[in-house]
């Protein structure tokens, strides 16, 4: 995860991977990455461009690329806390369950972060992606977590991530709930 914030420009880049087994049965295998650029027009109002890429072997998502431009607003914004909302159109290109499809979506998102002190923070986010011509095809992605610094460079993160796909691949469940504990290194 990398963030760079200036007076007019904000960049966020991230990549993560998960793998899990239970009794020698794979129950988790994902690769995910994203990039987001925010252009601030005032202290609180911004335009954004976002690209997400996902591979989820257990959910039978070979790939899902989501590109979305839009507008955002910081409802709360100071040194220790922010709450932002984003809305805009999106374009999804995916191969799920062996079927390749593209569709237009609406992207609704909100993010909250609070720095408890110089060593600990909590965060929460929610993203909703309904297909504009078929509202039954909707994806919800939510996350809540805490991070605590162990040293100047290392921290421990624990978060709960829930992905709900209203139209999953055949034979797959709609809901994917993950509890993740990870070691983070700051460059």
């Amino acid at each position: 995860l990398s963030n760079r914030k200036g007076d007019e420009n904000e960049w966020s880049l991230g990549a993560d991977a998960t793998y899990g087994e239970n009794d020698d049965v794979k129950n988790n295998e994902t690769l995910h990455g994203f990039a987001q650029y925010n252009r601030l027009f005032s202290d609180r109002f911004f335009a954004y461009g976002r690209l997400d890429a996902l591979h989820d072997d257990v959910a039978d998502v070979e790939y899902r690329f989501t590109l979305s431009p839009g507008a955002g607003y910081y409802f709360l914004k100071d040194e220790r806390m922010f709450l932002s909302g984003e809305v805009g159109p999106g374009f999804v290109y995916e191969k799920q369950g062996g079927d390749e499809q593209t569709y237009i979506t609406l992207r609704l998102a909100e993010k909250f972060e609070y720095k408890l002190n110089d060593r600990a923070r909590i965060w929460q986010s929610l993203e909703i992606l309904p297909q504009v011509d078929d509202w039954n095809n909707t994806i919800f992605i939510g996350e809540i977590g805490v991070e605590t610094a162990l040293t100047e460079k290392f921290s421990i993160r624990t978060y709960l991530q829930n992905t709900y796909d209203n139209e999953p691949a055949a034979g797959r469940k709609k809901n994917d709930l993950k509890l993740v504990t990870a070691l983070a290194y700051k460059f």
Side-chain angles (χ1 to χ4, degrees), residues 29-80:
E29 183 182 317
T30 64
L31 292 171
H32 171 254
F34 76 92
Q36 182 165 335
Y37 169 71
N38 295 345
R39 174 65 175 174
L40 295 160
F41 296 113
S42 71
D43 187 43
R44 297 187 181 253
F45 179 69
F46 61 92
Y48 73 86
R50 182 176 177 95
L51 175 64
D52 277 274
L54 172 72
H55 165 76
D56 188 334
D57 194 56
V58 174
D60 201 11
V61 177
E62 190 170 325
Y63 55 82
R64 178 180 293 138
F65 297 102
T66 307
L67 175 64
S68 78
Y73 188 78
Y74 283 103
F75 299 101
L76 302 170
K77 185 179 179 184
D78 63 34
E79 301 257 334
R80 295 184 63 184

Coordinates of all heavy atoms in Angstrom, one line a residue, residues 29-80:
E29 N -7.4 -18.0 -2.4 CA -6.3 -17.7 -3.3 C -6.7 -16.5 -4.2 O -7.4 -16.6 -5.1 CB -5.9 -18.9 -4.3 CG -4.7 -18.6 -5.1 CD -4.4 -19.7 -6.1 OE1 -4.4 -20.9 -5.7 OE2 -4.2 -19.4 -7.3
T30 N -6.2 -15.3 -3.8 CA -6.5 -14.1 -4.5 C -5.2 -13.3 -4.8 O -4.3 -13.4 -4.1 CB -7.4 -13.2 -3.7 OG1 -6.8 -12.8 -2.5 CG2 -8.7 -13.9 -3.4
L31 N -5.3 -12.6 -5.9 CA -4.4 -11.5 -6.2 C -5.2 -10.3 -6.5 O -6.2 -10.4 -7.2 CB -3.6 -11.9 -7.5 CG -2.6 -13.1 -7.4 CD1 -2.1 -13.4 -8.7 CD2 -1.5 -12.7 -6.4
H32 N -4.8 -9.2 -6.0 CA -5.6 -7.9 -6.1 C -4.6 -6.8 -6.2 O -3.6 -6.7 -5.5 CB -6.6 -7.7 -5.0 CG -7.2 -6.4 -5.0 ND1 -6.9 -5.4 -4.1 CD2 -8.2 -5.9 -5.8 CE1 -7.7 -4.4 -4.3 NE2 -8.4 -4.6 -5.3
G33 N -5.0 -5.8 -7.1 CA -4.2 -4.6 -7.1 C -5.1 -3.4 -7.5 O -6.1 -3.6 -8.1
F34 N -4.7 -2.2 -7.2 CA -5.5 -1.1 -7.5 C -4.6 0.2 -7.6 O -3.5 0.2 -7.1 CB -6.6 -0.8 -6.5 CG -6.1 -0.2 -5.2 CD1 -6.1 1.2 -5.1 CD2 -5.7 -0.9 -4.2 CE1 -5.6 1.8 -3.9 CE2 -5.3 -0.4 -3.0 CZ -5.2 1.0 -2.9
A35 N -5.0 1.1 -8.4 CA -4.4 2.5 -8.5 C -5.5 3.5 -8.5 O -6.5 3.3 -9.2 CB -3.5 2.6 -9.7
Q36 N -5.4 4.6 -7.7 CA -6.4 5.6 -7.7 C -5.6 7.0 -7.7 O -4.7 7.2 -6.9 CB -7.3 5.5 -6.5 CG -8.4 6.6 -6.6 CD -9.5 6.4 -5.7 OE1 -9.9 5.2 -5.3 NE2 -10.2 7.4 -5.3
Y37 N -6.1 7.9 -8.5 CA -5.6 9.2 -8.6 C -6.7 10.2 -8.3 O -7.8 10.1 -8.9 CB -5.0 9.6 -10.0 CG -4.7 11.0 -10.1 CD1 -3.7 11.6 -9.5 CD2 -5.5 11.8 -11.0 CE1 -3.4 13.0 -9.6 CE2 -5.3 13.2 -11.1 CZ -4.2 13.7 -10.5 OH -3.9 15.1 -10.6
N38 N -6.5 11.1 -7.3 CA -7.5 12.1 -7.0 C -6.9 13.5 -7.3 O -5.8 13.8 -6.9 CB -7.8 12.1 -5.5 CG -8.5 10.9 -5.0 OD1 -9.0 10.1 -5.8 ND2 -8.5 10.7 -3.7
R39 N -7.7 14.3 -8.0 CA -7.3 15.7 -8.4 C -8.2 16.6 -7.5 O -9.4 16.6 -7.7 CB -7.5 16.0 -9.8 CG -7.3 17.4 -10.2 CD -5.9 17.8 -10.0 NE -5.7 19.2 -10.5 CZ -4.6 19.8 -10.4 NH1 -3.6 19.3 -9.8 NH2 -4.6 21.1 -10.9
L40 N -7.6 17.3 -6.5 CA -8.4 18.1 -5.6 C -8.7 19.5 -6.3 O -7.8 20.1 -6.8 CB -7.6 18.3 -4.3 CG -7.4 17.1 -3.5 CD1 -6.2 17.2 -2.6 CD2 -8.6 16.7 -2.8
F41 N -9.9 19.8 -6.2 CA -10.4 21.2 -6.7 C -10.5 22.2 -5.6 O -10.6 23.4 -5.8 CB -11.6 21.0 -7.6 CG -11.5 20.2 -8.8 CD1 -12.1 19.0 -8.9 CD2 -10.6 20.6 -9.8 CE1 -11.9 18.2 -10.1 CE2 -10.5 19.9 -11.0 CZ -11.1 18.6 -11.1
S42 N -10.7 21.6 -4.4 CA -10.8 22.4 -3.2 C -10.2 21.5 -2.1 O -9.7 20.4 -2.3 CB -12.2 22.9 -2.9 OG -13.0 21.8 -2.4
D43 N -10.3 22.0 -0.9 CA -9.8 21.2 0.3 C -10.6 19.9 0.4 O -10.1 18.9 0.9 CB -9.9 22.0 1.6 CG -9.2 21.3 2.7 OD1 -8.1 20.7 2.5 OD2 -9.8 21.3 3.8
R44 N -11.8 19.9 -0.1 CA -12.7 18.7 0.1 C -13.2 18.0 -1.1 O -13.5 16.8 -1.2 CB -13.9 19.1 1.0 CG -13.4 19.5 2.4 CD -14.6 19.7 3.3 NE -14.1 20.2 4.6 CZ -14.1 19.4 5.7 NH1 -14.5 18.2 5.6 NH2 -13.6 19.9 6.8
F45 N -13.4 18.8 -2.2 CA -14.0 18.2 -3.5 C -12.9 17.7 -4.4 O -11.9 18.4 -4.6 CB -14.8 19.3 -4.1 CG -15.5 18.8 -5.4 CD1 -16.5 17.8 -5.4 CD2 -15.0 19.3 -6.6 CE1 -17.1 17.4 -6.6 CE2 -15.6 18.8 -7.8 CZ -16.6 17.9 -7.8
F46 N -13.1 16.6 -5.0 CA -12.1 16.0 -5.9 C -12.7 15.2 -7.0 O -13.8 14.7 -6.9 CB -11.0 15.2 -5.2 CG -11.6 14.0 -4.5 CD1 -11.6 12.7 -5.1 CD2 -12.0 14.1 -3.1 CE1 -12.1 11.6 -4.4 CE2 -12.5 13.0 -2.4 CZ -12.5 11.7 -3.1
A47 N -12.0 15.0 -8.1 CA -12.3 14.1 -9.2 C -11.3 13.0 -9.1 O -10.2 13.1 -8.6 CB -12.2 14.8 -10.6
Y48 N -11.7 11.7 -9.4 CA -10.9 10.6 -9.3 C -10.9 9.7 -10.5 O -11.9 9.7 -11.3 CB -11.2 9.8 -8.0 CG -12.5 9.0 -8.2 CD1 -12.4 7.7 -8.7 CD2 -13.7 9.4 -7.7 CE1 -13.6 6.9 -8.9 CE2 -14.8 8.7 -7.9 CZ -14.8 7.4 -8.4 OH -15.9 6.7 -8.6
G49 N -9.9 8.9 -10.7 CA -9.8 7.8 -11.6 C -9.3 6.6 -10.9 O -8.3 6.7 -10.1
R50 N -9.9 5.5 -11.1 CA -9.5 4.3 -10.3 C -9.5 3.1 -11.2 O -10.4 2.9 -12.1 CB -10.5 4.1 -9.1 CG -10.1 2.9 -8.3 CD -11.0 2.7 -7.1 NE -10.7 1.5 -6.3 CZ -9.9 1.5 -5.3 NH1 -9.4 2.6 -4.8 NH2 -9.7 0.4 -4.6
L51 N -8.5 2.2 -11.0 CA -8.4 0.9 -11.7 C -8.2 -0.1 -10.7 O -7.3 0.0 -9.9 CB -7.2 1.0 -12.7 CG -6.9 -0.4 -13.4 CD1 -8.1 -0.8 -14.3 CD2 -5.7 -0.3 -14.3
D52 N -9.0 -1.2 -10.7 CA -8.9 -2.4 -9.9 C -8.6 -3.6 -10.7 O -9.3 -3.7 -11.8 CB -10.1 -2.6 -9.0 CG -10.2 -1.7 -7.8 OD1 -9.6 -2.2 -6.8 OD2 -10.8 -0.7 -7.8
A53 N -7.8 -4.5 -10.3 CA -7.6 -5.8 -10.9 C -7.7 -6.9 -9.9 O -7.2 -6.8 -8.8 CB -6.3 -5.8 -11.6
L54 N -8.4 -8.0 -10.2 CA -8.7 -9.1 -9.2 C -8.6 -10.4 -9.9 O -9.1 -10.6 -11.0 CB -10.0 -8.9 -8.6 CG -10.5 -10.1 -7.7 CD1 -9.7 -10.1 -6.4 CD2 -12.0 -10.0 -7.4
H55 N -8.0 -11.4 -9.2 CA -8.0 -12.8 -9.5 C -8.4 -13.5 -8.3 O -7.8 -13.3 -7.2 CB -6.7 -13.3 -10.0 CG -6.6 -14.8 -10.0 ND1 -7.2 -15.6 -11.0 CD2 -6.0 -15.7 -9.2 CE1 -7.0 -16.9 -10.7 NE2 -6.3 -17.0 -9.6
D56 N -9.5 -14.3 -8.3 CA -9.9 -15.0 -7.1 C -10.2 -16.5 -7.6 O -11.3 -16.8 -8.1 CB -11.2 -14.4 -6.5 CG -11.6 -15.0 -5.2 OD1 -11.2 -16.2 -4.9 OD2 -12.2 -14.3 -4.4
D57 N -9.3 -17.4 -7.3 CA -9.4 -18.7 -7.8 C -10.6 -19.5 -7.1 O -11.3 -20.2 -7.8 CB -8.1 -19.5 -7.5 CG -8.0 -20.8 -8.3 OD1 -8.1 -20.8 -9.5 OD2 -7.8 -21.8 -7.6
V58 N -10.8 -19.3 -5.8 CA -11.8 -20.0 -5.1 C -13.2 -19.5 -5.6 O -14.1 -20.4 -5.8 CB -11.7 -19.8 -3.6 CG1 -12.8 -20.5 -2.9 CG2 -10.4 -20.5 -3.1
A59 N -13.4 -18.2 -5.9 CA -14.6 -17.7 -6.4 C -14.8 -17.9 -7.9 O -15.8 -17.5 -8.5 CB -14.8 -16.2 -6.0
D60 N -13.8 -18.5 -8.5 CA -13.8 -18.8 -10.0 C -13.8 -17.5 -10.8 O -14.5 -17.4 -11.8 CB -14.9 -19.7 -10.4 CG -14.6 -20.4 -11.7 OD1 -13.5 -20.3 -12.2 OD2 -15.5 -21.1 -12.3
V61 N -13.1 -16.5 -10.3 CA -12.9 -15.2 -11.0 C -11.5 -15.2 -11.6 O -10.6 -15.0 -10.9 CB -13.1 -14.0 -10.1 CG1 -12.9 -12.7 -10.9 CG2 -14.5 -14.0 -9.5
E62 N -11.4 -15.6 -12.9 CA -10.1 -15.6 -13.5 C -9.5 -14.2 -13.5 O -8.3 -14.1 -13.2 CB -10.2 -16.2 -14.9 CG -8.8 -16.5 -15.5 CD -8.9 -17.3 -16.8 OE1 -9.8 -18.2 -16.9 OE2 -8.0 -17.1 -17.7
Y63 N -10.3 -13.3 -13.9 CA -9.9 -11.9 -13.8 C -11.1 -11.0 -13.8 O -12.2 -11.3 -14.3 CB -9.0 -11.4 -15.0 CG -9.5 -11.7 -16.4 CD1 -10.4 -10.8 -16.9 CD2 -9.2 -12.8 -17.1 CE1 -11.0 -11.0 -18.2 CE2 -9.7 -13.1 -18.3 CZ -10.6 -12.2 -18.9 OH -11.1 -12.4 -20.1
R64 N -11.0 -9.8 -13.1 CA -12.0 -8.8 -13.1 C -11.2 -7.4 -13.1 O -10.5 -7.2 -12.1 CB -12.9 -8.9 -11.9 CG -13.9 -7.7 -11.9 CD -14.9 -7.8 -10.7 NE -15.7 -9.0 -10.8 CZ -16.0 -9.9 -9.8 NH1 -15.5 -9.6 -8.6 NH2 -16.8 -10.9 -9.9
F65 N -11.4 -6.7 -14.1 CA -10.8 -5.3 -14.2 C -12.0 -4.3 -14.1 O -13.0 -4.5 -14.8 CB -10.1 -5.1 -15.5 CG -8.9 -6.0 -15.7 CD1 -9.0 -7.1 -16.5 CD2 -7.7 -5.8 -15.1 CE1 -7.9 -8.0 -16.7 CE2 -6.6 -6.6 -15.2 CZ -6.7 -7.7 -16.0
T66 N -11.8 -3.4 -13.2 CA -12.8 -2.3 -13.0 C -12.2 -1.0 -13.2 O -11.2 -0.7 -12.5 CB -13.5 -2.4 -11.6 OG1 -14.0 -3.7 -11.4 CG2 -14.6 -1.4 -11.5
L67 N -12.7 -0.2 -14.1 CA -12.1 1.2 -14.4 C -13.3 2.1 -14.1 O -14.4 2.0 -14.6 CB -11.7 1.3 -15.9 CG -11.2 2.7 -16.3 CD1 -10.0 3.1 -15.5 CD2 -11.0 2.7 -17.8
S68 N -13.0 3.1 -13.3 CA -14.0 4.1 -13.0 C -13.5 5.5 -12.7 O -12.6 5.6 -11.9 CB -14.9 3.6 -11.8 OG -14.3 3.8 -10.6
P69 N -14.0 6.5 -13.4 CA -13.8 7.9 -13.1 C -15.0 8.4 -12.3 O -16.0 7.7 -12.2 CB -13.8 8.5 -14.5 CG -14.8 7.7 -15.2 CD -14.7 6.3 -14.7
G70 N -14.8 9.5 -11.6 CA -15.9 10.0 -10.8 C -15.6 11.2 -10.0 O -14.5 11.8 -10.1
A71 N -16.5 11.5 -9.1 CA -16.3 12.7 -8.2 C -16.3 12.2 -6.7 O -17.0 11.2 -6.4 CB -17.4 13.7 -8.4
G72 N -15.6 12.9 -5.9 CA -15.6 12.6 -4.5 C -15.6 13.8 -3.6 O -15.4 14.9 -4.1
Y73 N -15.9 13.5 -2.3 CA -15.9 14.6 -1.4 C -15.5 14.1 0.0 O -15.9 13.1 0.4 CB -17.4 15.2 -1.3 CG -17.5 16.4 -0.5 CD1 -17.2 17.6 -1.0 CD2 -18.0 16.3 0.9 CE1 -17.3 18.8 -0.2 CE2 -18.1 17.5 1.6 CZ -17.8 18.7 1.1 OH -17.9 19.9 1.8
Y74 N -14.6 15.0 0.7 CA -14.2 14.7 2.0 C -15.3 15.3 3.0 O -15.3 16.5 3.1 CB -12.9 15.2 2.3 CG -11.7 14.4 1.7 CD1 -11.1 14.9 0.6 CD2 -11.3 13.3 2.3 CE1 -10.0 14.1 0.1 CE2 -10.3 12.5 1.8 CZ -9.6 12.9 0.7 OH -8.6 12.2 0.1
F75 N -16.0 14.5 3.7 CA -17.0 15.0 4.6 C -16.3 15.5 5.9 O -16.7 16.4 6.6 CB -18.1 14.0 4.9 CG -18.9 13.6 3.7 CD1 -18.6 12.5 3.0 CD2 -19.9 14.5 3.2 CE1 -19.4 12.1 1.9 CE2 -20.6 14.2 2.1 CZ -20.3 13.0 1.4
L76 N -15.3 14.7 6.3 CA -14.4 15.0 7.4 C -13.0 14.9 6.9 O -12.6 14.0 6.2 CB -14.6 14.0 8.5 CG -16.0 13.9 9.1 CD1 -16.0 12.7 10.1 CD2 -16.4 15.2 9.9
K77 N -12.1 15.9 7.3 CA -10.8 15.8 6.8 C -9.9 16.7 7.7 O -10.0 17.9 7.8 CB -10.6 16.3 5.4 CG -9.3 16.2 4.8 CD -9.2 16.7 3.3 CE -7.9 16.6 2.8 NZ -7.8 17.2 1.4
D78 N -9.0 16.0 8.5 CA -8.0 16.7 9.3 C -6.8 15.8 9.4 O -6.7 14.7 8.8 CB -8.5 17.2 10.6 CG -9.0 16.1 11.6 OD1 -8.4 15.0 11.6 OD2 -10.0 16.4 12.3
E79 N -5.9 16.1 10.2 CA -4.6 15.4 10.4 C -4.8 13.9 10.9 O -4.1 13.0 10.5 CB -3.7 16.1 11.3 CG -3.3 17.5 10.9 CD -1.9 17.6 10.3 OE1 -1.1 16.7 10.7 OE2 -1.7 18.5 9.5
R80 N -5.9 13.7 11.7 CA -6.1 12.4 12.3 C -7.2 11.6 11.7 O -7.3 10.4 12.0 CB -6.3 12.6 13.8 CG -5.1 13.1 14.5 CD -5.3 13.2 16.0 NE -5.4 11.9 16.5 CZ -5.7 11.7 17.8 NH1 -5.8 12.7 18.6 NH2 -5.9 10.4 18.2

